[in-house]
Every structure is written in structure tokens, then in C-alpha cells.
Amino acid sequence: MANGRATERAPRKDARRNYDRLLTAARAAFTEQGVGASLNDIARRAGVGNVTLYRHFPNRQALLEALLGESLRGLRVRSDALLTADMPGDALAEWFQAAVEHAMTYRGLVDALVDSLADPESDLHASCQAMKAGGAQLLARAQRAGAVRPDVNASALFSLVAAVAWAVERAPEDRGQILAVFFDGLRPATEPVRGGGGA
């Protein structure tokens, strides 16, 4: 009986070790090559066969969920904490910058997140929805406080996270300027400036 229990424990231990190796290999491959890195190469890096990889992660989204699901849910936790911040506009800006940074974790991740948000079958869908819902609450609060223009909705906010992350990823030296222009655009419209020049 004892031998039977030992035999049962060994495969589980091996499976966990393979799972961890695959995550380590995927993290390295995605960091070097972006989220389009070959899954076959990831299996080779981990020292396992393709069958083992697909047993743990049937598709790329499942692998990304294992790597990023916790941090995506962490953005939702952060947004919940920011709901009590004194300055709703600043709270939204803090969350937005964190979301942009997260979307830049790996090259090409922005597209994967956008696609997963639109696909209920994606392994990343629930985590992306939770992040979006947290941002939507902060957006609504900032709009009620008059800190953000009222014609921006949650879907547009998520699209803006993706757009800003995409732009900063390609021109990191312009990060501050890109964010400054974005936040200026979120502010409520003011009276138009009248053109100068005498009649």
C-alpha cells in the first residue's frame, strides 16, 4: 500500500516540476522574442516533449494566463484600493499607467490582451475582463468628480491602454510625452481658445 502511494506521488511531483520548467522557459522566451515565441522551442528549453507542454498548456493563451493571470488580477485589486483615493483623477491615472506597464511585459502582449478580451473562450478572457471592470469603476468615479471628460467609456479606456502601450513600446524615449498628451486629452473640454489677430 505504501509503495502504491509513493508511485502515485511521483508522477504528480514530476508533473509539477515540468510545469514549473515550462513557465520558466516561456518567461525567458517571451522576454527575448515576444509572445509569438515558438511553443516548440519553449518545450525544448524546458527539456520536455511537445505532448507534455500541450498537456499543461493546450494553447498560447493558457500559457499566458499561467504567467500573467495573477498580475492581471492584481491590477483589479489595485483598482479596488484606488477607489478610496482622495483624487479620483489621479487614481485613474495611477491605474492607467500600471495597466500600460503591464501590457508591455512582453513584446506583442498588447494584441494578445485585446484579442482575449474579445474572445470569451480565451483562457485570458476572465482576467482581462476583471482588469477592465476595475478600470471602468475608476473611470466612472473620475467622471463623477468632473476630472475626466464624460464621453469616454470603459471599452474606449481599454483601447487607449492598448494604444498607449503600443506607442510607448515602440518609442520608449517618448513615454513621458505620450502619457502627458493622453492625460490632457482625458480632461473635460474647456471653452475654446479664440484666435488672435485684429480685424
Side-chain angles (χ1 to χ4, degrees):
M1 197 68 175
N3 287 340
R5 286 197 296 270
T7 302
E8 289 174 5
R9 281 197 297 271
R12 287 199 291 271
K13 188 174 181 180
D14 288 344
R16 183 67 208 187
R17 184 165 52 245
N18 288 338
Y19 179 90
D20 291 341
R21 285 176 176 171
L22 284 164
L23 287 185
T24 299
R27 192 175 292 111
F30 290 159
T31 298
E32 294 169 10
Q33 305 167 32
V35 297
S38 165
L39 296 185
N40 292 341
D41 286 346
I42 288 171
R44 279 194 292 271
R45 280 180 184 240
V48 302
N50 291 350
V51 171
T52 299
L53 183 148
Y54 289 112
R55 185 184 304 125
H56 288 289
F57 308 109
N59 53 53
R60 191 176 303 272
Q61 288 73 28
L63 185 51
L64 285 169
E65 166 62 24
L67 285 172
L68 298 172
E70 184 175 348
S71 56
L72 279 168
R73 290 185 288 275
L75 283 172
R76 176 56 192 267
V77 172
R78 187 168 185 175
S79 68
D80 288 345
L82 286 168
L83 284 172
T84 59
D86 291 336
M87 304 291 287
D90 290 347
L92 177 63
E94 181 179 332
W95 175 88
F96 186 91
Q97 291 185 69
V100 167
E101 291 296 329
H102 186 278
M104 294 169 57
T105 304
Y106 304 121
R107 189 170 67 255
L109 178 60
V110 170
D111 291 336
L113 295 176
V114 171
D115 291 345
S116 293
L117 186 63
D119 179 10
E121 300 302 315
S122 168
D123 292 273
L124 273 170
H125 181 75
S127 297
C128 287
Q129 280 285 15
M131 182 191 76
K132 179 181 174 181
Q137 288 182 303
L138 291 172
L139 173 65
R141 184 169 179 258
Q143 288 172 325
R144 289 194 298 270
V148 172
R149 53 193 296 169
D151 58 340
V152 178
N153 60 33
S155 293
L157 182 69
F158 189 87
S159 295
L160 288 167
V161 168
V164 171
W166 186 91
V168 173
E169 184 177 78
R170 283 152 183 77
E173 69 279 5
D174 295 331
R175 180 181 184 278
Q177 186 175 17
I178 291 170
L179 286 169
V181 170
F182 165 76
F183 289 125
D184 281 346
L186 270 190
R187 294 192 182 99
T190 57
E191 287 296 318
V193 177
R194 297 185 183 280

